[in-house]
Amino acid sequence: MAFDIDMIKKVYKTMPERVDKARQIVGKPLTLSEKILYAHLWDGNPTTAFKRGKDYVDFAPDRIALQDATAQMALLQFMQAGKPKVAVPTTTHCDHLIQAKQGAAPDLKRANETSSEVFEFLASVSNKYGIGFWKPGAGIIHQVVLENYAFPGGMMIGTDSHTVNAGGLGMVAIGVGGADAVDVMAGMAWELRFPKLIGVKLTGNLNGWTASKDVILKVAGILTVKGGTGAIVEYFGPGAKNLSCTGKGTICNMGAEIGATTSTFGYDDSMERFLRATDRNEVADEANKIREYLTGDPEVYEDPEKYFDQVIEIDLDTLRPHLNGPFTPDLATPVGQLGKLAKEKGWPIKVEWGLIGSCTNSSYEDLTRAASIAKQAVDKNIKAKSDFGINPGSEQIRYTAERDGILKIFEDLDATIFTNACGPCIGQWDRSDLKGDEKNTIVHSFNRNFSKRADGNPNTHAFVGSPEMVAAIAISGRLDFDPMNDVLINEDGEEVRLDPPQGIELPPRGFDVEDAGYVEPVKDGSKVDVSVSPTSERLQLLEPFKPIGNKIVGAKLLIKAFGKCTTDHISMAGPWLRYRGHLDNISNNMLIGAVNAFGKKTNFVKNQLTGEYGGVPDVARYYKAKDVHSIVVGDHNYGEGSSREHAAMEPRHLGVAAVLVKSFARIHETNLKKQGMLGLTFANENDYDLIQEDDTINFLDLDQFAPDKPLHLEFVHADGSKDVIKVNHTYNQQQIDWYNEGSALNLIKKQNLS
């Protein structure tokens, strides 16, 4: 069934005229990314040629997707906006709050019991405001979106950084914070700096052990975790057309790990096949009518250096399988070279777990490719040396895979089939075999492998690979195993080799499902009651933030974060997910994972008012109680990773006025702005070294806060000496208005009342 077909037809009806107009205004052929961006301008037909990486532009996204962990705060904010119904099609997906432990049935039962309050809140608020609701167990948000809502040439935003997965079906799909989503749900424009463009030309064909996952693992190694910041990555070339739709989704999904705004592919036959296989013939028929508008102009792909800001070329014929990690998704190593590197680095060679699934690699094709390796192990009498965990991407995939005997293959290898949910990928894993913080290695097909990410253990060395490579490595039990060249010893003492994986792009008998898990909202939600208990530990109605003001003097340094500081460091997931709807309670995890530059410890900072040391949230609460502002200082790419706006809301709630860093990850910088805070960068990165533990900070010219105008901060040191530091910002006038009103939501409410 095609959801929102009338909306899709409307997009396709206006797209040719808008693209033709944009081509005329820009004065040159257009990339696919530009076509979609110019076709979704808030003001309709294009009138201006925007400067990449410079101009802020208002867009009109076609739809919104929310996942349960971030949906709580987004919908709590939307409830304050004074709107009776969402302005664009929106869905809520319950996939983050299900912990992997025993297996699908008991884990889902336990989640429905322990998180019933949250699920009931999300179901009722979705029903009230016209939002489609996907029940716990229905599937992982991004796979469900790809199967049901994504469409070529569309624009969507989602409150999860891996919303970009929908680029596999030719969308511009972008991860945002909840406040951005609230704007669009409330009928407002969505603002984005017009992205730069990175072109990736793919030639040749994948073969042997190489998978779509290896394309993005290679790109991550080239661009690093911040190389795509502020840019859309557009894949093209004959090699792109040779990839399956879900394979394209995998590549786009992990584009979040290079900091890219999003990634996308042009519409082609594989996308049409996927649309038809997922019962969306009408969407495919409509897309075919404007096919040339749903990919880049031929001139662009023939001479890409003229049209992209950067071009990368990858030959799929020669691309080798990779495993990336540990501790960062951009440390790319070809599989055959990993053993030597692991021994040099002292990484544990023994592999404890192989985990297959996540929003990145949980499609039918992914499961069949991994199952083809698992079946060889069963048939050749090889006993798996590592534990196995499988997370199907959706109930539709799980049901179909079970029908076709795919899940039984994994079960014959003693794998645990977990719920159709995120599970270990986002730290929702009760790992029974772990003993304290012991050093160990796991391999998985997920997207991220930051320290503590999967199981909370800082010494778990996690490596990212394709599902089939994860299966092979886990069967061998060794990180240095190279299935292309090495042999295994089976239970009969015989040497055996694993043959290359064989996958099935789409189920030959079609997809099937009894209950997909979707709940349609009522047409009139005015009589639907949404209640939040004032004594709840998990949900809390929001109070508007008060403006910080333009006179900040006597502020104290809260923490000077050293090195990598992701949103996992700022607001951990795992056990803290239960408090995602309660701002005060979850604020007790604020920056507890960040390393303090003074002393190199976590969650241990100096309280300048007492002279004592304590946890970061405790010291922040003390300053707030004394009406003293605090500031956070950080390093490069501060706030990379998840789109969770809690990483901005918690500091705001605990009295942090500004975050000053060498550079920001895009989504986090926007989240800070939305919450009425100051997100600042050093004009001179070396000034980071001037910040001392006992510093008091005075803002010298905040009363002159204006676009493109640097600010100056005075750092007063304990010995009475001072340093005046020049800092930059990227606030435009509207964002300064958010700051002056206390938050973007405050401004929306004010405009709604006027």
Side-chain angles (χ1 to χ4, degrees):
M1 180 184 79
F3 287 92
D4 309 307
I5 187 63
D6 290 338
M7 176 269 286
I8 295 171
K9 287 180 177 179
K10 183 179 177 182
V11 172
Y12 286 169
K13 183 178 180 180
T14 60
M15 193 166 188
E17 179 186 356
R18 294 183 179 186
V19 170
D20 289 343
K21 185 68 173 176
R23 196 184 288 112
Q24 177 186 340
I25 290 170
V26 174
K28 59 181 177 137
L30 298 177
T31 64
L32 168 65
S33 305
E34 289 171 307
K35 290 181 181 181
I36 298 175
L37 292 170
Y38 278 107
H40 285 83
L41 297 177
W42 179 256
D43 292 330
N45 277 336
T47 58
T48 305
F50 297 108
K51 296 188 182 79
R52 298 177 191 170
K54 177 69 175 175
D55 292 338
Y56 282 94
V57 183
D58 285 342
F59 292 101
D62 300 313
R63 67 174 311 109
I64 297 168
L66 315 169
Q67 46 96 331
D68 49 356
T70 52
Q72 296 170 64
M73 198 57 71
L75 292 173
L76 284 165
Q77 290 179 86
F78 181 74
M79 289 170 65
Q80 306 296 313
K83 295 287 186 178
K85 197 171 185 178
V86 291
V88 300
T90 303
T91 51
T92 300
H93 304 257
C94 296
D95 62 353
H96 275 57
L97 299 179
I98 304 169
Q99 188 179 56
K101 184 178 182 180
Q102 298 166 279
D107 292 351
L108 183 58
K109 182 176 183 293
R110 187 172 60 254
N112 276 318
E113 291 169 353
T114 59
S115 294
S116 60
E117 179 185 16
V118 173
F119 293 147
E120 287 169 9
F121 165 75
L122 293 174
S124 62
V125 75
S126 295
N127 201 25
K128 183 174 184 65
Y129 295 109
I131 298 169
F133 181 72
W134 290 81
K135 296 183 293 187
I140 304 172
I141 175 174
H142 310 304
Q143 185 64 35
V144 172
V145 165
L146 196 71
E147 292 175 17
N148 294 276
Y149 299 111
F151 66 97
M155 173 185 277
M156 70 174 288
I157 59 173
T159 60
D160 188 285
S161 53
H162 293 102
T163 299
V164 296
N165 187 79
L169 205 38
M171 294 194 88
V172 162
I174 300 175
V176 299
D180 271 357
V182 170
D183 283 359
V184 179
M185 287 190 287
M188 311 282 283
W190 174 60
E191 183 186 68
L192 176 73
R193 183 180 286 185
F194 204 84
K196 293 183 178 180
L197 299 175
I198 297 174
V200 180
K201 182 178 182 179
L202 302 179
T203 60
N205 280 284
L206 294 174
N207 59 83
W209 283 88
T210 309
S212 296
K213 184 66 163 270
D214 296 304
V215 175
I216 185 58
L217 295 179
K218 177 71 173 179
V219 171
I222 295 170
L223 290 176
T224 77
V225 292
K226 61 181 181 178
T229 302
I232 292 179
V233 181
E234 185 171 324
Y235 293 84
F236 63 94
K241 294 179 180 179
N242 293 332
L243 302 174
S244 68
C245 180
T246 53
K248 292 178 172 73
T250 292
I251 293 169
C252 293
N253 182 293
M254 257 193 87
E257 274 55 70
I258 57 172
T261 301
T262 192
S263 304
T264 195
F265 285 79
Y267 180 56
D268 62 15
D269 292 345
S270 71
M271 295 185 191
E272 181 179 354
R273 289 195 299 271
F274 187 76
L275 285 170
R276 298 194 186 283
T278 51
D279 197 21
R280 289 178 287 172
N281 286 313
E282 197 169 3
V283 178
D285 292 341
E286 293 296 322
N288 285 342
K289 293 176 184 176
I290 61 164
R291 200 176 183 102
E292 69 271 23
Y293 290 94
L294 301 177
T295 189
D297 287 334
E299 300 93 331
V300 171
Y301 296 157
E302 288 166 6
D303 195 3
E305 284 79 7
K306 287 176 61 177
Y307 302 97
F308 291 98
D309 298 290
Q310 180 180 354
V311 177
I312 297 168
E313 186 165 343
I314 296 175
D315 179 7
L316 301 183
D317 287 333
T318 58
L319 180 65
R320 297 184 60 190
H322 282 65
L323 277 180
N324 285 23
F327 306 127
T328 186
D330 60 344
L331 183 56
T333 307
V335 166
Q337 302 172 23
L338 190 59
K340 179 182 177 184
L341 183 62
K343 291 180 177 106
E344 290 174 358
K345 298 289 187 180
W347 300 334
I349 297 295
K350 185 175 184 293
V351 174
E352 307 292 340
W353 273 87
L355 298 160
I356 294 169
S358 88
C359 62
T360 322
N361 279 107
S362 56
S363 68
Y364 185 87
E365 181 182 32
D366 289 327
L367 293 184
T368 60
R369 287 179 68 86
S372 74
I373 304 303
K375 190 173 190 310
Q376 291 183 59
V378 174
D379 292 346
K380 296 178 182 182
N381 199 22
I382 305 169
K383 184 177 180 181
K385 304 301 189 295
S386 309
D387 289 327
F388 260 106
I390 312 292
N391 285 82
S394 70
E395 175 57 14
Q396 178 168 263
I397 289 172
R398 188 211 64 79
Y399 189 93
T400 306
E402 183 176 56
R403 180 201 68 188
D404 294 350
I406 295 165
L407 296 187
K408 187 178 185 305
I409 295 171
F410 292 115
E411 291 168 341
D412 289 343
L413 207 61
D414 293 327
T416 302
I417 310 299
F418 292 127
T419 316
N420 315 316
C422 303
C425 182
I426 49 97
Q428 282 285 53
W429 187 21
D430 186 350
R431 186 178 169 187
S432 57
D433 69 311
L434 201 60
K435 302 177 183 67
D437 287 349
E438 63 184 357
K439 199 173 178 181
N440 73 103
T441 288
I442 65 174
V443 292
H444 59 57
S445 68
F446 306 162
N447 39 50
R448 291 189 176 140
N449 56 351
F450 302 139
S451 175
K452 302 183 182 181
R453 173 79 178 184
D455 58 13
N457 179 4
N459 295 316
T460 292
H461 294 57
F463 293 83
V464 183
S466 68
E468 53 266 47
M469 187 56 66
V470 168
I473 297 287
I475 288 166
S476 76
R478 293 186 60 85
L479 190 63
D480 57 358
F481 177 65
D482 177 1
M484 294 167 286
N485 296 297
D486 297 343
V487 297
L488 295 171
I489 306 299
N490 70 6
E491 293 300 291
D492 301 318
E494 301 167 334
E495 286 190 353
V496 294
R497 288 183 180 274
L498 294 176
D499 299 322
Q502 300 293 321
I504 304 172
E505 179 183 358
L506 296 164
R509 295 163 56 196
F511 284 108
D512 200 1
V513 67
E514 284 186 350
D515 178 9
Y518 176 69
V519 180
E520 183 82 19
V522 296
K523 284 186 167 50
D524 179 8
S526 61
K527 294 182 175 60
V528 177
D529 182 49
V530 179
S531 61
V532 174
S533 169
T535 60
S536 172
E537 291 185 347
R538 300 193 63 176
L539 295 167
Q540 179 187 45
L541 293 176
L542 296 174
E543 294 290 334
F545 288 129
K546 295 178 181 177
I548 293 171
N550 60 11
K551 288 186 67 176
I552 302 176
V553 294
K556 300 297 183 181
L557 176 70
L558 178 61
I559 184 173
K560 179 180 176 180
F562 175 79
K564 186 184 285 285
C565 191
T566 72
T567 49
D568 280 299
H569 295 93
I570 305 168
S571 176
M572 288 183 179
W576 290 95
L577 284 172
R578 64 181 283 104
Y579 299 120
R580 281 285 180 87
H582 197 295
L583 181 56
D584 193 56
N585 283 347
I586 198 170
S587 293
N588 289 322
N589 78 359
M590 184 191 75
L591 285 159
I592 63 176
V595 176
N596 187 6
F598 307 106
K600 301 298 190 296
K601 294 182 180 180
T602 59
N603 202 28
F604 194 72
V605 296
K606 186 173 184 178
N607 183 329
Q608 294 187 45
L609 299 182
T610 66
E612 299 175 351
Y613 285 82
V616 183
D618 299 325
V619 173
R621 287 184 188 276
Y622 191 92
Y623 289 153
K624 181 181 177 182
K626 299 296 183 182
D627 291 324
V628 174
H629 288 301
S630 57
I631 80 163
V632 170
V633 171
D635 211 317
H636 273 300
N637 209 26
Y638 182 90
E640 71 171 282
S642 165
S643 69
R644 67 192 67 150
E645 65 187 325
H646 299 75
M649 294 186 78
E650 292 173 32
R652 181 73 164 97
H653 177 62
L654 296 187
V656 175
V659 178
L660 171 61
V661 300
K662 293 180 182 178
S663 64
F664 281 109
R666 174 189 62 84
I667 298 176
H668 187 64
E669 182 181 23
T670 299
N671 286 345
L672 292 172
K673 294 177 179 181
K674 288 279 184 178
Q675 301 306 331
M677 294 177 67
L678 293 169
L680 310 171
T681 55
F682 291 100
N684 178 1
E685 290 180 8
N686 293 329
D687 286 346
Y688 171 91
D689 299 325
L690 299 176
I691 313 301
Q692 299 178 24
E693 188 174 31
D694 291 296
D695 280 353
T696 297
I697 304 99
N698 300 312
F699 286 67
L700 302 181
D701 47 9
L702 189 55
D703 58 337
Q704 301 168 46
F705 192 17
D708 301 316
K709 184 175 182 179
L711 295 172
H712 296 83
L713 278 59
E714 180 184 64
F715 284 77
V716 183
H717 309 305
D719 63 1
S721 62
K722 302 176 182 178
D723 281 300
V724 175
I725 292 177
K726 178 182 174 182
V727 300
N728 295 326
H729 66 84
T730 60
Y731 287 72
N732 59 25
Q733 189 54 55
Q734 177 176 272
Q735 294 165 345
I736 291 173
D737 291 342
W738 298 342
Y739 176 79
N740 291 334
E741 290 293 334
S743 71
L745 182 58
N746 287 356
L747 185 59
I748 290 175
K749 289 171 68 175
K750 183 177 180 180
Q751 291 169 341
N752 283 340
L753 293 172
S754 61

